[in-house]
Amino acid sequence: MKSTARVFAAGLLLALPNTALTTALAAQESGPAQTQTADEEPVWAFETSDIEVDPGYVFGQLDNGMRYILRENATPEGTAIVRMRIDSGSLDETETERGLSHYLEHMAFNGSTGIPEGEMIKLLEREGLAFGADTNAATDLSAITYMLNLPRNDERLLDTALMLMRETASELTIAQDAVERERGVVLAERRDRAGYRQRAQEDAFEFLAPGARFAQRLPIGTIESLEGATAQKLRDLYARVYTPANTTLVIVGDYPADVMEAMIRAKFSDWEGGAAPVDPETGPVDITRAGQTDIYIDHALSESVSMTMLGPWRDRPDTAEERKAATIRGIGYRIINRRLARLARGEDAPFRGARYGSNDLFEDARTSSLTVSSADGEWRKGVLAAVREVNEALTYGFTQAEIDEQLANTRASLENAVQGEATRTNNSYVGPALSLISNDRIPTTPAYRLALFAELEGEFTPQNVLGALTMDAAPLVAPLIRFQGRQAPAGGEDALRTAFSDAMALPVATPEDTGPAKFAYTDFGEPGIAVSDEREDRLGFRYVTFANGVRLTLKQTDIREDRVSFRMSVDGGNLMNTAENPLKTAMVSALAGGGLGRHSQDELGSILAGKTVSFGLGSSAENFVMSSSTTPRDLDLQLQLAAATLTDPGYRREGAERYRRGIESYFASLDATPSAALGTQIGAILSDGDPRFSLQPKEAFLDLDYAKLDAAIGDRLANGAIEIALVGDFDEDAAIAAVASTLGALPPREADFLPREDARTRTFTGDRTSRTITHAGEPDQAILRLYWPTTDDDDFAETVRLWLLSQTVRLEMIERLREELGQAYSPYATMSNSRVYRDYGTFSLGAAIDVDQVAPTRAAIDALIADFRSGDAINDDLVERARKPLLEGYENALKSLGGWMGLADNAQSQPERLDRFFDGPDLLKSLTPADLQAAAVQYLDPAAVLEVKVVPGEDARTPD
């Protein structure tokens, strides 16, 4: 059975699944891999562990060796998730096969014995599965996983899904002409993924483990291998790794287990194939390496320093004792990171962020790493502070108060899981099932995990936590040091090592136990009185208005037991920005960094330990918004936090400092990629430089402070209309009382949200000359986007018509640019009829392409638009494939708290949105190809289009 490990490489924490050192590299390069028989080890890891496996799962194995994991679950009701995992990935490739596992994943959608090329996605779209969202696949170092999310639980759909999985598992035709057609798509994906992040990752891996196989087998492969891929090479790989013994099927959803099991047996029992390949080589990793330094420079990278120690890998099977030990040492790691976070949040913070942890590097090594992210040029200050903090912790340990804070968080998480177990989602069960397959982590019940934690009562002492941590972490002695940033550190490698040595020499002391603090915001005066209390019949909403003007919408539902979704809207938002002061609300997101008047943000972290609440304020177009996912037990506290945010924001200097550090980092990489360059300039292009929609100079952002924010929004926090929505598992009367004693107890507010009609103007540029934006990324990367003006959202029927038109155009873009021409990996089309700005809307489409393909791509898009305007491209099947996933979305919208909140939020101030929810399906069903052709004629006029090209500039990276 394969096993997994994690890699923490020079500051990049990556989950690298399921690999083990079991065979020689030479054997892999000489031809088909050796095999191992299934009876050499148990079928499932829990068979040899004392961990109590969750009894709700059904585990099985067919006679041919294929395994399956099933779970009946009805959250969301009437849906299911299907996953098929091939337990081999890019690590299993030979030198000439690099990237072919991923190429083979692409070929799964390009023809099989029972499904013609190009028909699999269309078949699923007709069933309501959207490509990408519900139909997808992924290749990583150790596995290829095929994913289907089923929007309905009828048995016919499950039968179709399993038929497609079986076709993928054993029936792919892999025709040479199909391989040639897909080559461009695979190369396009490789091109789109290339960039400074990937190069930095490759450098980090190579520095950590020079010559290691894992660093040379990234799933995207090499251009040489991809260009040299043939049908025969892909078939050879297919035959070698797509075997029953190397495959596990997972189904979680609203089907009886016996039905799922019978279908699996019917579809897969006659699949024949060899045994699973042996585990691939991952190393070598020299665990004696120490004292070496690496400097990696890229103008797009923010500054960071990673210090890593290597040690021997430790075999730690999943047992009850190992879980207990991991819990104790995990408390120590979390306390250290809590201390580092405190430094990052303080005044004159020495770094932007820091992280300390230990991880397995496959089965080759154990790493302990400290990574420090700093403002440009401040790396030494960051290293000194972070290393001293970690050294102090490893020397003198922790206080009981620090331990208790982490225990409170852990206990609350476990107890919340127990309370909500009956309505856990499909995804929450799929994850543990896949973890069992990939790394032998046994799925357990929340009650079992809580009981295991309770057995440790009395074990969480400062001495035990420090002992467990120091036994696990490698000492910080002569670490591997890696710097990355925009410019080399002054003094180079010697300066980096000197900084580390100086940090280790700094004095350390026993930590002081300050004890717990108490939340200061529990009394807001006399509870407010409800002056109206009504019911909305269609959705069961309860509308309450308090005497001070605060409005409350409640929706009680147990679709997620013991969970409550909260959202508060306060009058304000980005409509307050003006051409004269376009950054008026820019710092709203930084409000939480200043804490509350009587508690800093860091103090709140301790005070709120063990509580399921959120603290922070954001800005939408029309409102300032606070939202959270909480529990009935913590709802009172969440509402107290909301009221305190409005009545006593802290405005501490450290919050503004942290905001400015983020601005510096943001502006340093504005043009690092084509998408970044487009995102920073498109607002100004579309709206003729209107300052409200244009990126302002860095100096303007740096000039902001809390005094200006208070002057801008203080009146809104004190007086603006408030509308609250609560959705979930709560007692209505108790919730009303909680609001009454907090937000309902505040002084009178404005009754209505201000219309701000003068601010609701936005124009689409009248200058339709082609625009060119340059980027400083990869020399072959470009983006082509076309924009048309549409209209606002006042006419919902028109919005729906444009919505469906965009979906049909997207499908046709995928068909022509991706499947037929192989020019783009992920072409797109979308529309946005503004709900905020009068008469403003956009329809846009485009693709990321090779810089040499801009003209051919434009020609292909022009032909596509012409065919839509003439009606030649639109037929009943295309419309149905675009429409069905949208209808399924409506059908499943109210099966989650998020779906309900989408309607409950601002339901009283914007009641028309409820009508639209009910009208939407019928409007979608009524649309015909002729309706969409008419929309294309009306809006997609070639003479009205604005073309925007993003191409490499003078600062683009030099080709290899």
Side-chain angles (χ1 to χ4, degrees):
M1 188 179 300
K2 293 184 177 181
S3 61
T4 197
R6 292 177 183 262
V7 59
F8 185 74
L12 298 173
L13 183 60
L14 300 168
L16 298 180
N18 199 6
T19 48
L21 179 57
T22 58
T23 188
L25 179 62
Q28 296 219 355
E29 303 301 340
S30 62
Q34 302 175 29
T35 59
Q36 56 193 23
T37 59
D39 60 2
E40 291 178 354
E41 54 188 8
V43 176
W44 304 103
F46 55 76
E47 296 174 23
T48 57
S49 173
D50 60 349
I51 295 286
E52 294 180 13
V53 66
D54 185 339
Y57 287 98
V58 174
F59 303 92
Q61 184 178 37
L62 302 180
D63 291 342
N64 59 15
M66 192 190 90
R67 297 186 295 170
Y68 56 86
I69 304 175
L70 312 175
R71 179 90 192 205
E72 292 185 34
N73 190 54
T75 305
E77 182 182 3
T79 66
I81 291 176
V82 181
R83 301 287 185 262
M84 183 173 72
R85 187 181 196 274
I86 308 298
D87 205 23
S88 295
S90 58
L91 276 168
D92 293 79
E93 298 164 354
T94 65
E95 182 64 27
T96 60
E97 292 175 334
R98 291 173 64 177
L100 297 199
S101 293
H102 175 244
Y103 206 139
L104 188 53
E105 171 212 310
H106 277 244
M107 295 309 299
F109 300 96
N110 283 278
S112 62
T113 301
I115 304 171
E117 181 184 358
E119 287 299 313
M120 179 182 288
I121 298 300
K122 294 177 181 178
L123 185 156
L124 290 167
E125 287 166 345
R126 295 178 190 115
E127 294 287 354
L129 281 73
F131 183 46
D134 303 311
T135 305
N136 216 326
T139 300
D140 59 33
L141 286 166
S142 61
I144 307 169
T145 306
Y146 295 93
M147 300 170 275
L148 295 176
N149 297 334
L150 308 187
R152 304 182 310 283
N153 65 336
D154 62 78
E155 293 184 16
R156 183 186 60 80
L157 180 56
L158 179 60
D159 184 77
T160 298
L162 294 181
M163 178 273 291
L164 295 175
M165 290 297 190
R166 175 57 196 277
E167 290 285 310
T168 299
S170 64
E171 304 301 312
L172 299 185
T173 50
I174 314 179
Q176 183 61 41
D177 56 348
V179 171
E180 296 296 339
R181 284 190 290 273
E182 193 65 20
R183 192 186 315 277
V185 178
V186 176
L187 289 170
E189 183 176 357
R190 189 184 192 281
R191 179 196 64 239
D192 292 352
R193 291 179 183 273
Y196 68 92
R197 291 188 183 90
Q198 180 174 312
R199 291 195 304 274
Q201 181 186 68
E202 291 170 353
D203 177 82
F205 284 168
E206 183 60 28
F207 174 61
L208 183 68
R213 183 183 181 87
F214 74 82
Q216 301 168 1
R217 287 296 184 276
L218 296 182
I220 202 63
T222 65
I223 291 177
E224 294 75 18
S225 290
L226 298 177
E227 290 181 340
T230 65
Q232 188 57 53
K233 286 184 178 181
L234 289 167
R235 288 192 205 106
D236 290 343
L237 180 62
Y238 185 51
R240 193 167 81 236
V241 302
Y242 282 62
T243 67
N246 203 33
T247 302
T248 308
L249 195 67
V250 177
I251 309 175
V252 177
D254 204 357
Y255 292 102
D258 57 350
V259 170
M260 295 187 275
E261 190 166 24
M263 287 190 176
I264 289 173
R265 291 189 174 278
K267 287 288 188 295
F268 288 90
S269 290
D270 62 348
W271 179 16
E272 298 178 356
V278 294
D279 292 343
E281 178 90 31
T282 56
V285 177
D286 179 6
I287 63 173
T288 67
R289 288 183 70 242
Q292 299 183 31
T293 311
D294 179 42
I295 296 176
Y296 182 80
I297 305 302
D298 191 295
H299 78 279
L301 287 171
S302 58
E303 190 172 275
S304 69
V305 180
S306 296
M307 292 145 280
T308 303
M309 291 299 302
L310 292 169
W313 173 75
R314 300 169 186 175
D315 188 9
R316 290 168 167 169
D318 191 13
T319 64
E321 285 307 309
E322 170 52 28
R323 289 203 179 187
K324 291 178 182 179
T327 300
I328 295 174
R329 64 178 178 261
I331 294 292
Y333 283 113
R334 289 202 293 276
I335 293 173
I336 291 178
N337 286 306
R338 178 73 175 84
R339 291 184 183 180
L340 293 171
R342 178 177 293 117
L343 287 176
R345 290 171 178 162
E347 288 189 16
D348 303 314
F351 46 72
R352 296 174 57 224
R355 191 76 185 170
Y356 177 70
S358 297
N359 293 277
D360 290 329
L361 184 56
F362 300 98
E363 294 183 2
D364 299 307
R366 180 79 171 162
T367 68
S368 293
S369 296
L370 169 63
T371 300
V372 184
S373 300
S374 55
D376 288 354
E378 297 187 3
W379 61 268
R380 177 177 167 83
K381 182 169 66 172
V383 168
L384 290 174
V387 170
R388 194 209 68 81
E389 197 71 33
V390 173
N391 188 31
E392 180 171 275
L394 295 178
T395 302
Y396 289 109
F398 317 106
T399 69
Q400 191 62 50
E402 289 178 308
I403 292 171
D404 290 344
E405 178 180 324
Q406 298 305 319
L407 291 178
N409 290 328
T410 301
R411 186 179 296 107
S413 176
L414 293 170
E415 291 175 346
N416 288 345
V418 170
Q419 293 292 330
E421 182 176 15
T423 52
R424 287 175 62 186
T425 63
N426 291 339
N427 277 319
S428 72
Y429 285 116
V430 167
L434 292 174
S435 185
L436 173 64
I437 302 165
S438 64
N439 64 9
D440 293 343
R441 177 76 176 181
I442 298 164
T444 57
T445 64
Y448 175 80
R449 295 193 293 274
L450 181 59
L452 208 62
F453 179 75
E455 291 179 16
L456 290 170
E457 186 72 33
E459 296 294 316
F460 294 107
T461 65
Q463 180 180 4
N464 286 351
V465 172
L466 178 59
L469 177 64
T470 53
M471 285 183 62
D472 184 68
L476 281 173
V477 180
L480 301 172
I481 300 179
R482 181 177 181 274
F483 173 95
Q484 69 176 34
R486 298 182 179 90
Q487 57 187 11
E493 295 184 3
D494 290 342
L496 288 167
R497 303 219 71 86
T498 299
F500 174 77
S501 299
D502 291 349
M504 290 295 289
L506 291 173
V508 293
T510 304
E512 180 182 355
D513 196 335
T514 59
K518 186 177 181 180
F519 189 55
Y521 299 91
T522 57
D523 185 358
F524 296 90
E526 287 295 319
I529 298 172
V531 295
S532 69
D533 190 341
E534 302 174 348
R535 292 280 183 181
E536 193 279 334
D537 294 334
R538 294 174 299 178
L539 294 167
F541 290 161
R542 185 175 179 181
Y543 296 149
V544 177
T545 301
F546 293 91
N548 66 349
V550 170
R551 287 178 284 194
L552 169 65
T553 298
L554 304 107
K555 173 59 186 180
Q556 199 285 328
T557 173
D558 60 0
I559 56 174
R560 291 296 312 279
E561 287 191 356
D562 198 53
R563 297 295 182 269
V564 181
S565 183
F566 158 79
R567 189 169 298 171
M568 174 183 72
S569 297
V570 182
D571 178 68
N574 298 336
L575 280 176
M576 295 176 64
N577 298 331
T578 64
E580 296 73 29
N581 188 4
L583 298 181
K584 189 173 184 178
T585 64
M587 275 192 72
V588 168
S589 61
L591 189 67
L596 297 172
R598 285 180 276 181
H599 302 304
S600 69
Q601 184 186 35
D602 188 75
E603 289 167 346
L604 284 170
S606 297
I607 293 170
L608 302 177
K611 305 299 182 181
T612 308
V613 294
S614 297
F615 171 59
L617 201 68
S619 185
S620 66
E622 299 170 298
N623 305 311
F624 301 126
V625 179
M626 174 182 279
S627 61
S628 78
S629 176
T630 184
T631 69
R633 295 174 298 286
D634 293 326
L635 180 57
D636 280 12
L637 178 59
Q638 180 63 68
L639 291 165
Q640 290 167 357
L641 266 174
T645 299
L646 300 183
T647 58
D648 194 22
Y651 293 130
R652 285 177 177 77
R653 183 164 67 91
E654 60 260 30
E657 289 177 355
R658 193 166 192 180
Y659 175 80
R660 293 191 189 100
R661 289 196 297 272
I663 292 298
E664 291 280 7
S665 179
Y666 172 73
F667 271 86
S669 57
L670 288 181
D671 62 350
T673 65
S675 58
L678 178 66
T680 59
Q681 297 191 44
I682 191 60
I685 291 173
L686 290 178
S687 295
D688 289 326
D690 187 326
R692 296 174 298 162
F693 312 110
S694 305
L695 181 67
Q696 298 302 298
K698 180 174 71 172
E699 292 71 24
F701 284 93
L702 295 178
D703 190 49
L704 297 174
D705 57 33
Y706 277 146
K708 292 177 181 177
L709 180 64
D710 185 22
I713 72 170
D715 172 70
R716 295 297 83 206
L717 300 187
N719 301 305
I722 294 177
E723 187 165 352
I724 306 160
L726 292 174
V727 172
D729 186 11
F730 55 82
D731 178 89
E732 288 186 353
D733 292 338
I736 293 170
V739 173
S741 66
T742 52
L743 294 161
L746 300 182
R749 317 283 300 193
E750 294 168 359
D752 298 306
F753 291 86
L754 300 181
R756 296 189 172 84
E757 290 298 334
D758 292 344
R760 295 179 182 272
T761 58
R762 183 175 185 180
T763 59
F764 190 103
T765 180
D767 180 3
R768 308 301 166 81
T769 57
S770 179
R771 316 296 177 86
T772 299
I773 299 170
T774 59
H775 68 84
E778 302 303 297
D780 58 349
Q781 291 179 343
I783 291 177
L784 174 65
R785 297 229 172 146
L786 304 183
Y787 298 85
W788 286 268
T790 57
T791 185
D792 61 29
D793 191 44
D794 279 355
D795 184 346
F796 186 53
E798 189 69 350
T799 294
V800 171
R801 185 168 71 130
L802 278 164
W803 184 25
L804 188 56
L805 175 65
S806 72
Q807 296 306 298
T808 57
V809 171
R810 183 183 69 86
L811 295 183
E812 195 65 11
M813 288 274 288
I814 292 172
E815 181 68 21
R816 298 195 188 192
L817 296 186
R818 174 177 168 137
E819 302 303 332
E820 294 179 6
L821 300 180
Q823 292 179 355
Y825 169 63
S826 186
Y828 93 107
T830 189
M831 54 74 63
S832 176
N833 284 9
S834 178
R835 187 178 56 82
V836 176
Y837 300 103
R838 291 188 302 272
D839 303 322
Y840 184 82
T842 62
F843 190 106
S844 61
L845 54 84
I849 52 178
D850 191 284
V851 67
D852 294 332
Q853 293 298 314
V854 172
T857 301
R858 176 62 195 269
I861 293 175
D862 286 346
L864 181 151
I865 295 301
D867 287 345
F868 266 83
R869 288 168 60 84
S870 69
D872 292 343
I874 312 175
N875 55 50
D876 288 336
D877 182 63
L878 177 66
V879 174
E880 190 62 18
R881 289 191 289 114
R883 174 166 42 210
K884 193 64 180 291
L886 304 182
L887 291 173
E888 292 290 356
Y890 268 105
E891 185 67 25
N892 290 319
L894 300 184
K895 294 178 180 179
S896 68
L897 294 185
W900 277 108
M901 180 56 77
L903 293 177
D905 183 34
N906 298 119
Q908 296 186 57
S909 57
Q910 300 172 12
E912 71 279 358
R913 291 166 56 248
L914 304 188
D915 296 330
R916 291 185 170 205
F917 176 76
F918 289 102
D919 294 343
D922 287 339
L923 288 171
L924 276 171
K925 293 174 184 176
S926 70
L927 291 169
T928 66
D931 294 323
L932 300 187
Q933 179 192 357
V937 170
Q938 180 178 353
Y939 293 107
L940 306 187
D941 182 354
V945 70
L946 170 65
E947 177 189 74
V948 179
K949 295 176 288 189
V950 188
V951 298
E954 294 181 357
D955 295 332
R957 182 171 175 268
T958 303
D960 293 329

